[in-house]
Amino acid sequence: MSRSGTTTSDRARGGGSSRAGAEARPRRRPRRRPPAARRRRLLVRGGVLVAVLGLLAWLLWGSPVLAVSAVRVDGAGTLTAAEVVDVAGIDEGTPLLHVDVDAAEARVARLPQVADVEVTRGWPRSIVVTVVERVPVAVVEQSGTRTLLDADGVLFDTVTGDPPVGVVPLDVADPGPEDRATRAALSALVALPQDVRVDLAEARASSAEDVTLSLEDGTTVLWGSDERARDKADALVALLGQLRAGTLEPAGTIDVSTPTAIVLR
């Protein structure tokens, strides 16, 4: 007998009974679908997925549902929308994803009047061409042809009649964005407010350090170089205000080349 009060034969009978009971209860196994049924289910799911992806691809790449029905132009002024659309070369009916927006941008950017352009897809059925046109600041004459210049000195359009209001005739030897005299004269024009610019008869620059402005009343403004252009413009605007108010005697020449020491003579 053991200390627990049971004999070896008792433990043997009890242990044997417990194991026999455990072995007598059958284990439950999870029900499994027949292999054929599982394969059919996977095939159906795969077929549905392929069909959905195929439909999506067709909608994006070949369907008229998501094709170009209109090309909209924003920002055009001197250019017409029809001119921009024609140069962009985007055909109606082209699926949106087939449109090469980079190539369209490059074509529109070649227009002389365009300073910047962006072509975007306007889902679901349009293309938007946003242009920023060059703003004329001056006009130069070469061999009988008058051409507009923007603030960067780019020659971009010709004019036959009067130039736009505020566009100043410019006299330089070699107009263009790389010419220092051109850039110096344009910096003076850009620094001046519109109400002063409209009173200018001409701007001349024999060099980058020798810019001269002529007012409609015959007054000559010695501007000098393009340094401190904003200070020179502020000084000239204040001085012209005093001259108009009669607080200063009229002068034939106004020298603002040193804006802190203006000379009238």
Side-chain angles (χ1 to χ4, degrees):
M1 179 179 292
S2 68
R3 293 181 182 179
S4 63
T6 60
T7 65
T8 303
S9 61
D10 291 336
R11 289 196 300 273
R13 285 195 298 272
S17 174
S18 175
R19 285 194 297 273
E23 291 174 358
R25 290 192 296 269
R27 294 182 180 178
R28 286 191 173 184
R29 295 183 177 180
R31 296 179 62 187
R32 296 182 179 178
R33 294 180 180 273
R38 290 190 64 192
R39 285 197 296 271
R40 284 196 298 270
R41 187 176 180 183
L42 292 174
L43 287 173
V44 170
R45 287 181 177 177
V48 171
L49 180 59
V50 170
V52 170
L53 291 177
L55 177 61
L56 182 60
W58 177 74
L59 285 173
L60 292 175
W61 292 96
S63 168
V65 175
L66 297 178
V68 177
S69 63
V71 179
R72 193 179 82 226
V73 177
D74 293 337
T78 57
L79 291 168
T80 66
E83 288 174 318
V84 176
V85 170
D86 182 60
V87 171
I90 300 170
D91 297 326
E92 292 188 10
T94 304
L96 281 179
L97 286 182
H98 284 186
V99 176
D100 189 338
V101 294
D102 292 334
E105 284 181 359
R107 288 190 290 269
V108 176
R110 286 196 288 268
L111 289 170
Q113 299 91 335
V114 174
D116 193 19
V117 58
E118 182 181 19
V119 178
T120 56
R121 296 178 179 88
W123 296 96
R125 303 195 64 191
S126 65
I127 292 291
V128 181
V129 182
T130 304
V131 297
V132 178
E133 291 190 5
R134 299 188 186 278
V135 178
V137 175
V139 57
V140 295
E141 184 171 348
Q142 297 174 297
S143 303
T145 300
R146 293 188 300 160
T147 309
L148 299 174
L149 287 81
D150 68 358
D152 296 322
V154 177
L155 291 86
F156 64 92
D157 202 1
T158 58
V159 291
T160 55
D162 294 331
V165 176
V167 174
V168 181
L170 174 62
D171 183 7
V172 289
D174 186 22
E178 305 302 324
D179 180 54
R180 293 182 63 234
T182 299
R183 295 201 306 269
L186 290 173
S187 73
L189 299 180
V190 171
L192 291 171
Q194 180 73 0
D195 60 344
V196 174
R197 205 186 304 167
V198 296
D199 289 335
L200 292 178
E202 186 186 39
R204 298 187 304 276
S206 58
S207 70
E209 289 73 34
D210 184 25
V211 177
T212 302
L213 309 177
S214 299
L215 300 178
E216 291 284 1
D217 64 5
T219 303
T220 298
V221 179
L222 303 179
W223 188 273
S225 70
D226 58 358
E227 295 181 358
R228 302 183 66 182
R230 181 59 59 186
D231 292 337
K232 294 175 183 180
D234 292 342
L236 181 60
V237 169
L239 188 60
L240 292 176
Q242 292 178 311
L243 289 171
R244 293 190 185 102
T247 57
L248 286 177
E249 292 293 327
T253 301
I254 303 173
D255 188 345
V256 296
S257 57
T258 304
T260 55
I262 300 174
V263 178
L264 284 76
R265 55 179 182 269

